[in-house]
Amino acid sequence: MPEESDNPIGDLPDWLTSSQDYRPGPDRDGFIMRNLLSLASVLAQLRLDDGRDGPLSPSPPVKLLLALGAILLTSLSRNYLFVLAMLAVVLVRAAMLPRAALARVTGGSLAAAGLTLVLMLPAALIGQPRSALFLATKSLVTVGITLTVALTTPKAHLTSALRQLGMPAVVILTVDLALHGIVRLGQTAQEVLVALRLRSVGTNRAKGATMGGVGGVVLVKASRLAQDSYDAMRCRGFDGSYRTGASWRPRGADALWAAGFALVLALFLYLQGVV
Amino acid sequence: MHIPENYLSPSTCAVATVAMAPVWYCAVHHVREEVPREKMPLIGIAAAFCFLAMMFNIPLPGGTTGHAVCGTLIAILFGPWSAVLAVSIALAIQAVLFGDGGILAFGANCFNMAFVLPFVGYAIYSLIRSRVEGERGELLGAAIGSYVGLNVAALLCAIEFGIQPLLFTTADGAALYCPYPVWVSVPAMMLGHLTVAGLAEAGFTVGILAFLHSAVPSFGIETHAAGTSGLAPVIGLVVALVAATPLGLLATGDAWGEWAAEDLAEMVGYTPAGLEGGWEWSSLMPDYSVGALPEWVGYILSAVIGVALLVIIFRLAANLARPTVDFDA
């Protein structure tokens, strides 16, 4: 048995007991890291699985069709009043959403409208401020509709609605896995970046290689996750076809929404004539 | 009572905005501290009432129009600081989206309608309520408080208009901004507000307050009943008011002090220089109307957009309010 030393730290090597004055050199990676992190967190937020049906929601296929129609009409419209009327509809629907969904719809649509406004800034500067405002309102309305539909429909219902509308099974599978994958991709990228930042000290001279490493890890991990979830689906008997069980049953609210859409269509046709 | 763009000198607008800055700061602070999170959407609905009340124009003696504000109503329901925020946001939406009231004059409009009006109304309401017992005292206080509050706000507005020609003139004596001096603007504004608009404000306030007391007693900050349950009657009332907004079009003519530059030029014989070359915001739907369509369509559309925006803003603001779970308790 070795003799115990008087000094409890006497066994430690010299380099560990001597004090060091290491000052890591400054590194300018704040911009890259912050941007990548915020991008990753945006991807991680693209979750579609928290949708809930409202009490007056139409059935998913009708909802999808009407939303597509409304977006199409808004984009085609050359009349500002029509876009404002659609804006009123979207605002009223959004005001009734649960608070978390409302925050996401507002954030998403405002971001889209703001981006459009910035892109259209040259038009405003050469004396066409109206068209910049017009396009910004249009993107506010269309993104608002899309997000509202996504957040008021459970993801499984969206998938079955796509199938009922005659979308090929392989497309649905790809969309399904892609949506799932994007969210996981965002989460993974976020985790890798945070881990990297926590362990990094000093100046990194090979930023390109680091970014490549992060990208590579994320890609490998993502493909493994996709393979895993596809395997899991196979294990549960998935044979590549989407059967939607009972065929589509219309709800009472469908007629109401369809009538509302007919009114919107009439307004659109009338206002296009007025311009 | 919405002061349009360029009727006040930029220096007057700056003074009013600087005066409002601490008020807004205190209002945000107080509302965060005092209003529970689940009551925030209710302030949005109250602000929607205020927005709608301002759309109902009433013909006043002398060919002009006026409207109620309902600032005292919000002060009674949610406290005067909430009223400052609610009326300010309603005024901001009116100015930015609908061109009602100037952007530069926003501070002055808020000073009159969002600060002085609710505080004066609430002070008188509290005074009367402490003297007269029961619901009679409450409704009496609300009636007198809202009447006086609106008239004090109108008086301030008239004084702001009236000092312009005394302070800002060109070398040849023509007014740069609003051309009517105090001895014209004060009687002109007060005649209409003391007689009709003040009564309309009192009627709106007492009517809505009595309705809320009987239909939704939990509406308001002093009751601790569950948040937004049983709101159906209130939402019904808002929808009815939205549908009825075109009634505001029955009153023809402009409100005193809210004329377009060319109308003013016809009345006084020249266009004040400040109005001619002044900056003006081009709003989405100027004067609540769109293009060649019937005015009532624009009016209803404006009402729907305004009300929905106010509800959304205050529902989102609830995320910033203090949480209701008290971990210290």
Side-chain angles (χ1 to χ4, degrees), chain A residues 80-81 95 97 99 130 133, chain B residues 283-284 290 293 301 315 319:
Chain A
Y80 200 46
L81 176 66
L97 286 173
R99 198 182 292 152
R130 284 257 144 192
L133 212 56
Chain B
S283 56
L284 280 183
V290 224
L293 276 146
L301 200 58
R315 286 196 61 198
N319 288 342

Side-chain angles (χ1 to χ4, degrees), chain B residues 154-168:
Chain B
L155 180 65
L156 273 178
C157 179
I159 292 174
E160 286 156 16
F161 275 133
I163 57 171
Q164 299 304 313
L166 308 180
L167 295 178
F168 308 99

Side-chain angles (χ1 to χ4, degrees), chain B residues 68-79:
Chain B
V69 177
C70 283
T72 313
L73 174 76
I74 306 179
I76 293 171
L77 287 171
F78 299 101

Side-chain angles (χ1 to χ4, degrees), chain B residues 3-61:
Chain B
I3 302 172
E5 211 70 273
N6 300 324
Y7 270 69
L8 300 185
S9 72
S11 47
T12 317
C13 296
V15 169
T17 310
V18 169
M20 272 312 284
V23 178
W24 281 319
Y25 179 80
C26 288
V28 169
H29 184 75
H30 277 268
V31 168
R32 252 181 157 167
E33 288 297 314
E34 289 161 14
V35 181
R37 187 186 275 224
E38 67 271 9
K39 296 277 183 190
M40 289 293 285
L42 299 187
I43 303 185
I45 296 181
F49 273 122
C50 163
F51 180 89
L52 289 173
M54 291 197 257
M55 288 184 79
F56 280 93
N57 289 319
I58 303 153
L60 298 182

Side-chain angles (χ1 to χ4, degrees), chain A residues 51-54 56-71 93 145-146 148-154 157-158 161 165 248 251 254 257 261:
Chain A
R52 298 276 177 282
D53 257 348
L56 277 177
S57 281
S59 57
V62 175
K63 191 191 276 183
L64 267 187
L65 279 183
L66 292 189
L68 274 178
I71 290 172
R93 179 67 191 96
I145 293 174
T146 317
T148 309
V149 168
L151 290 173
T152 56
T153 321
H157 291 195
L158 272 181
L165 292 176
W248 169 56
R251 296 179 195 168
D254 286 356
W257 281 91
F261 187 78

